[in-house]
Amino acid sequence: MTLRENLESHQVRIYFGAVILGVIVALIISGTTVLEPGINPALAFMLFVTFLQVPLAELRLAFSRFRFLAALLLTNFAVLPVLVGVLVQFLPPDPIIRLGVLLVLLAPCIDYVVTFSQLGRADAKLLLAATPSLLIIQMLLLPVYLGVFLGPEAASLIKAGPFVHAFIWLIAIPLVLAVLVQVWAGKSAVGARVSSLLGLLPVPATALVLFVVVAAVVPQLGPALADTLRVMPIYVAYAVIAPLVGWGMSRLFRLEASAGRAVAFSAATRNSLVVLPLALAVPGAVPLLPAIIVTQTLVELVSELVYVRLAPKFGVNAITPSI
């Protein structure tokens, strides 16, 4: 097993270790809030090495599997927003709390979902090829969804300037740099080696983000802790229902079992750390918004351990091919 495969197979332990270490450091060392300015640079680097793993050159593979792509996109951007809209009704009326939950649950994952889906015997290659579509569409639709679910409150919480600034510097620029490195790797042996080395870093970079966020936020949590705990039942309910919705949509579109599992994994796994910079752009976001988002990450990581055991049992007798 290669170093990259080892990192990916142990990523859940690594992420939990980073969170626990961040909590311990925050509790025993005073002044860890000074790490807060380091959140955005860490996020930008994490997103760069994450986007580098997205096979932009293989987009045609996803588009050639029309039924899979239709099931994937309809599940994530039509059916699941309805589920999220129902779930947020059980939250306190505080718009900040609802904003945090909406940001994270409306955005399908583009990174470690591929590794988990592979462990769960899903068609990880097909899902990986679809990740650029998932990223682009969620960035276009998130403001629309937030306006629908939050109404006029969305305008007061999400200022266009900071939101656009965060999108450009923490998502668009890392994405463009990742594309340039991919092009370089395709034309140069040196570029290929650099790209290969950077391919080792998504798991460590994600762990670094979790550590920095937790260490910076924990000392400020205080009264926000109770609000953070209130969102956990919503995240648990989503973790139970969403993969079943994804699997049901795959049956509706008559996908083969491995492609259906990929839709189920995508439905269940959210883009928490990718939307974190957008949350941090909200005035007064710290500490509640990042705490709400990281809480979802922790619930999700535990859920993934269940998914990879149960998913291979889904559709074991299904033989209908997808097109």
XYZ file of all heavy atoms in Angstrom, residues 211-271:
451
model
N -7.469 21.112 12.981
C -6.717 21.489 14.192
C -6.768 22.992 14.419
O -7.060 23.457 15.530
C -5.268 21.025 14.082
C -4.382 21.588 15.166
C -4.393 21.038 16.439
C -3.564 22.681 14.915
C -3.594 21.569 17.456
C -2.770 23.219 15.911
C -2.787 22.654 17.189
N -6.471 23.771 13.373
C -6.415 25.227 13.515
C -7.786 25.786 13.879
O -7.911 26.632 14.773
C -5.890 25.877 12.216
C -6.015 27.395 12.288
C -4.442 25.487 11.972
N -8.833 25.305 13.199
C -10.186 25.800 13.479
C -10.591 25.487 14.910
O -11.088 26.358 15.643
C -11.201 25.200 12.491
C -12.628 25.512 12.932
C -10.965 25.732 11.086
N -10.395 24.244 15.339
C -10.793 23.841 16.687
C -9.986 24.600 17.737
O -10.551 25.134 18.714
C -10.629 22.320 16.867
C -10.821 21.922 18.328
C -11.634 21.579 15.985
N -8.678 24.689 17.559
C -7.831 25.376 18.541
C -8.188 26.854 18.642
O -8.129 27.444 19.727
C -6.358 25.208 18.173
N -8.566 27.473 17.523
C -8.900 28.895 17.535
C -10.294 29.162 18.076
O -10.543 30.191 18.707
C -8.769 29.470 16.122
N -11.220 28.219 17.845
C -12.628 28.458 18.183
C -12.980 28.032 19.608
O -13.768 28.705 20.277
C -13.542 27.737 17.168
C -14.990 27.723 17.646
C -13.446 28.411 15.806
N -12.408 26.934 20.089
C -12.780 26.392 21.408
C -12.697 27.431 22.524
O -13.621 27.539 23.335
C -11.938 25.143 21.745
C -12.025 24.801 23.231
C -12.417 23.953 20.919
N -11.615 28.243 22.622
C -11.567 29.224 23.716
C -12.672 30.271 23.636
O -12.988 30.918 24.633
C -10.187 29.877 23.533
C -9.394 28.906 22.750
C -10.369 28.244 21.831
N -13.261 30.464 22.461
C -14.298 31.479 22.294
C -15.708 30.903 22.377
O -16.689 31.641 22.325
C -14.143 32.162 20.924
C -12.762 32.716 20.642
C -12.674 33.267 19.235
O -13.413 34.187 18.878
N -11.787 32.727 18.424
N -15.800 29.572 22.474
C -17.093 28.912 22.322
C -18.087 29.357 23.389
O -19.147 29.873 23.091
C -16.905 27.396 22.344
C -17.947 26.571 21.612
C -18.169 27.091 20.218
C -17.535 25.114 21.568
N -17.731 29.139 24.643
C -18.544 29.614 25.751
C -20.030 29.376 25.584
O -20.485 28.241 25.439
N -20.827 30.458 25.564
C -22.287 30.329 25.459
C -22.745 29.674 24.154
O -23.878 29.200 24.066
C -22.772 31.790 25.522
C -21.643 32.571 26.097
C -20.397 31.854 25.694
N -21.885 29.668 23.130
C -22.286 29.098 21.841
C -22.351 27.577 21.883
O -22.910 26.960 20.977
C -21.303 29.535 20.751
N -21.791 26.971 22.934
C -21.747 25.515 23.002
C -23.148 24.905 22.987
O -23.404 23.922 22.293
C -20.991 25.060 24.256
C -20.817 23.550 24.424
C -20.049 22.962 23.247
C -20.099 23.242 25.744
N -24.067 25.502 23.737
C -25.432 24.969 23.794
C -26.086 25.010 22.420
O -26.753 24.062 22.000
C -26.266 25.762 24.799
N -25.873 26.109 21.675
C -26.441 26.215 20.336
C -25.818 25.191 19.389
O -26.497 24.635 18.519
C -26.230 27.623 19.777
C -27.105 28.653 20.481
O -28.218 28.285 20.906
O -26.671 29.811 20.598
N -24.527 24.941 19.572
C -23.849 23.954 18.733
C -24.435 22.563 18.955
O -24.660 21.812 18.005
C -22.338 23.938 19.036
O -21.804 25.254 18.856
C -21.609 22.976 18.115
N -24.708 22.232 20.195
C -25.261 20.906 20.507
C -26.683 20.750 19.961
O -27.106 19.630 19.656
C -25.246 20.680 22.020
C -23.861 20.579 22.664
C -23.978 20.449 24.174
C -23.066 19.412 22.081
N -27.401 21.850 19.814
C -28.774 21.772 19.310
C -28.844 21.306 17.855
O -29.876 20.800 17.409
C -29.455 23.151 19.425
C -29.809 23.544 20.847
C -30.437 24.920 20.859
N -30.612 25.415 22.220
C -31.022 26.636 22.526
N -31.312 27.481 21.550
N -31.140 27.008 23.773
N -27.767 21.522 17.108
C -27.805 21.146 15.694
C -27.470 19.664 15.479
O -27.727 19.135 14.396
C -26.839 22.018 14.851
C -27.149 23.488 15.040
C -25.381 21.721 15.176
N -26.939 19.006 16.492
C -26.506 17.618 16.309
C -27.648 16.680 15.911
O -27.474 15.845 15.011
C -25.786 17.111 17.558
C -24.404 17.700 17.732
S -23.414 16.866 18.982
C -23.086 15.307 18.167
N -28.836 16.767 16.544
C -29.924 15.874 16.098
C -30.296 16.072 14.633
O -30.664 15.112 13.945
C -31.089 16.254 17.027
C -30.437 16.850 18.229
C -29.236 17.565 17.718
N -30.193 17.295 14.142
C -30.481 17.567 12.729
C -29.461 16.864 11.851
O -29.803 16.238 10.831
C -30.477 19.086 12.457
C -31.504 19.785 13.353
C -30.716 19.368 10.980
C -32.917 19.317 13.151
N -28.191 16.952 12.251
C -27.137 16.301 11.471
C -27.279 14.778 11.498
O -27.046 14.108 10.491
C -25.758 16.697 12.007
C -25.383 18.141 11.758
C -24.539 18.826 12.639
C -25.863 18.826 10.645
C -24.180 20.140 12.411
C -25.512 20.148 10.417
C -24.662 20.796 11.294
O -24.307 22.102 11.062
N -27.661 14.239 12.632
C -27.853 12.787 12.733
C -29.026 12.353 11.858
O -28.934 11.349 11.132
C -28.082 12.371 14.204
C -28.486 10.905 14.290
C -26.810 12.613 15.026
N -30.110 13.114 11.909
C -31.273 12.783 11.075
C -30.900 12.830 9.593
O -31.278 11.945 8.809
C -32.421 13.759 11.360
N -30.149 13.851 9.219
C -29.712 13.950 7.815
C -28.833 12.756 7.443
O -28.990 12.178 6.358
C -28.941 15.251 7.593
C -28.531 15.433 6.149
C -29.357 16.104 5.260
C -27.335 14.909 5.661
C -29.007 16.245 3.928
C -26.976 15.035 4.336
C -27.816 15.711 3.477
O -27.475 15.824 2.149
N -27.924 12.377 8.331
C -27.011 11.267 8.053
C -27.753 9.953 7.855
O -27.286 9.073 7.121
C -25.995 11.134 9.194
N -28.904 9.806 8.495
C -29.702 8.580 8.353
C -30.541 8.624 7.073
O -30.608 7.645 6.316
C -30.619 8.388 9.583
C -31.589 7.234 9.352
C -29.768 8.135 10.829
N -31.171 9.769 6.807
C -32.139 9.856 5.712
C -31.470 10.048 4.350
O -31.875 9.432 3.351
C -33.130 11.003 5.975
C -33.901 10.760 7.277
C -34.104 11.159 4.811
C -34.725 11.951 7.734
N -30.447 10.895 4.281
C -29.882 11.298 2.988
C -29.370 10.134 2.137
O -29.668 10.079 0.939
C -28.779 12.337 3.204
N -28.591 9.192 2.700
C -28.129 8.094 1.834
C -29.266 7.231 1.315
O -29.187 6.701 0.199
C -27.180 7.290 2.742
C -27.547 7.667 4.134
C -28.028 9.087 4.056
N -30.337 7.108 2.087
C -31.504 6.356 1.624
C -32.194 7.090 0.474
O -32.672 6.458 -0.485
C -32.479 6.136 2.779
C -31.926 5.330 3.965
C -32.974 5.232 5.078
C -31.480 3.946 3.520
N -32.225 8.417 0.566
C -32.773 9.215 -0.533
C -31.931 9.009 -1.789
O -32.459 8.800 -2.892
C -32.809 10.707 -0.149
C -33.143 11.569 -1.365
C -33.824 10.952 0.957
N -30.598 9.070 -1.625
C -29.712 8.878 -2.767
C -29.872 7.511 -3.399
O -29.936 7.375 -4.630
N -29.970 6.477 -2.552
C -30.156 5.123 -3.075
C -31.507 4.989 -3.770
O -31.622 4.375 -4.837
C -30.034 4.103 -1.951
C -30.237 2.687 -2.415
C -31.315 1.894 -2.200
C -29.332 1.909 -3.207
N -31.146 0.668 -2.800
C -29.940 0.643 -3.417
C -28.073 2.152 -3.756
C -29.329 -0.368 -4.156
C -27.461 1.151 -4.490
C -28.083 -0.094 -4.685
N -32.544 5.597 -3.189
C -33.864 5.550 -3.808
C -33.878 6.220 -5.174
O -34.485 5.713 -6.130
N -33.188 7.355 -5.294
C -33.103 8.028 -6.592
C -32.341 7.164 -7.598
O -32.704 7.124 -8.784
C -32.410 9.381 -6.425
C -33.266 10.429 -5.747
S -34.663 10.968 -6.777
C -33.792 11.915 -8.034
N -31.322 6.473 -7.145
C -30.573 5.608 -8.067
C -31.436 4.460 -8.565
O -31.311 4.029 -9.718
C -29.313 5.068 -7.379
O -29.618 4.027 -6.465
N -32.333 3.950 -7.710
C -33.253 2.901 -8.147
C -34.260 3.473 -9.150
O -34.635 2.800 -10.116
C -34.006 2.319 -6.943
C -33.145 1.609 -5.905
C -32.414 0.397 -6.479
N -31.136 0.780 -7.078
C -30.469 0.043 -7.940
N -30.948 -1.116 -8.332
N -29.315 0.460 -8.431
N -34.701 4.707 -8.897
C -35.649 5.351 -9.804
C -35.049 5.500 -11.202
O -35.737 5.335 -12.213
C -36.048 6.724 -9.247
C -37.082 7.524 -10.035
C -38.423 6.805 -10.057
C -37.240 8.923 -9.430
N -33.743 5.805 -11.245
C -33.052 5.968 -12.525
C -32.441 4.660 -13.032
O -31.729 4.664 -14.019
C -31.962 7.039 -12.396
C -32.484 8.446 -12.492
C -33.069 9.057 -11.399
C -32.405 9.139 -13.691
C -33.548 10.355 -11.488
C -32.888 10.434 -13.786
C -33.470 11.045 -12.684
N -32.694 3.565 -12.317
C -32.258 2.220 -12.700
C -30.746 2.158 -12.933
O -30.272 1.614 -13.926
C -33.014 1.761 -13.945
C -34.525 1.714 -13.762
C -35.221 1.161 -14.975
N -34.859 -0.248 -15.170
C -35.068 -0.907 -16.326
N -35.607 -0.273 -17.359
N -34.736 -2.167 -16.429
N -29.989 2.709 -12.004
C -28.532 2.650 -12.083
C -28.035 1.297 -11.589
O -28.683 0.657 -10.761
C -27.899 3.761 -11.231
C -28.271 5.212 -11.571
C -27.521 6.155 -10.652
C -27.974 5.527 -13.029
N -26.882 0.898 -12.077
C -26.255 -0.307 -11.548
C -25.879 -0.060 -10.093
O -25.772 1.087 -9.639
C -25.036 -0.683 -12.379
C -23.962 0.376 -12.380
C -22.854 0.046 -13.360
O -22.971 -0.942 -14.111
O -21.859 0.794 -13.361
N -25.646 -1.123 -9.342
C -25.484 -1.018 -7.892
C -24.331 -0.106 -7.501
O -24.467 0.731 -6.605
C -25.291 -2.407 -7.285
N -23.176 -0.239 -8.150
C -22.014 0.560 -7.758
C -22.258 2.046 -8.014
O -21.853 2.901 -7.208
C -20.761 0.088 -8.501
O -20.930 0.221 -9.901
N -22.931 2.390 -9.123
C -23.262 3.783 -9.398
C -24.299 4.289 -8.402
O -24.243 5.446 -7.952
C -23.775 3.929 -10.829
N -25.241 3.426 -8.025
C -26.247 3.807 -7.033
C -25.621 4.101 -5.680
O -26.017 5.038 -4.988
N -24.628 3.288 -5.305
C -23.931 3.552 -4.037
C -23.205 4.893 -4.095
O -23.125 5.612 -3.086
C -22.941 2.423 -3.750
C -23.594 1.072 -3.490
C -22.560 0.016 -3.155
N -23.124 -1.319 -3.328
C -22.662 -2.227 -4.185
N -21.604 -1.948 -4.930
N -23.247 -3.399 -4.300
N -22.663 5.233 -5.263
C -21.978 6.519 -5.407
C -22.950 7.670 -5.181
O -22.609 8.660 -4.513
C -21.337 6.616 -6.792
N -24.158 7.567 -5.705
C -25.171 8.606 -5.476
C -25.516 8.680 -3.997
O -25.666 9.774 -3.430
C -26.433 8.332 -6.317
C -27.525 9.351 -5.997
C -26.107 8.371 -7.811
N -25.635 7.523 -3.342
C -25.960 7.494 -1.913
C -24.857 8.152 -1.089
O -25.130 8.932 -0.166
C -26.183 6.051 -1.458
N -23.588 7.853 -1.415
C -22.471 8.470 -0.686
C -22.453 9.977 -0.909
O -22.216 10.754 0.029
C -21.142 7.855 -1.132
C -20.718 6.673 -0.306
C -20.959 5.387 -0.739
C -20.073 6.852 0.910
C -20.577 4.289 0.019
C -19.683 5.766 1.680
C -19.936 4.480 1.227
N -22.691 10.407 -2.143
C -22.704 11.841 -2.428
C -23.826 12.536 -1.672
O -23.647 13.637 -1.139
C -22.865 12.066 -3.931
O -22.890 13.446 -4.227
N -24.982 11.894 -1.604
C -26.118 12.480 -0.882
C -25.812 12.653 0.594
O -26.218 13.635 1.224
C -27.354 11.600 -1.061
N -25.072 11.707 1.159
C -24.826 11.713 2.603
C -23.665 12.598 3.016
O -23.605 13.048 4.167
C -24.549 10.284 3.073
N -22.734 12.867 2.106
C -21.475 13.524 2.470
C -21.482 14.966 2.010
O -21.710 15.251 0.842
C -20.290 12.771 1.840
O -20.456 11.366 2.070
C -18.980 13.217 2.466
N -21.193 15.868 2.936
C -21.323 17.295 2.673
C -19.975 17.999 2.577
O -18.959 17.503 3.034
C -22.175 17.949 3.747
C -23.567 17.344 3.907
C -24.491 17.686 2.732
N -24.397 16.750 1.613
C -25.006 16.926 0.441
N -25.721 18.018 0.230
N -24.882 16.027 -0.512
N -20.001 19.198 2.034
C -18.778 19.944 1.718
C -18.391 20.902 2.844
O -18.091 22.072 2.596
C -19.012 20.742 0.434
C -17.895 20.575 -0.565
O -17.021 19.733 -0.383
N -17.909 21.363 -1.613
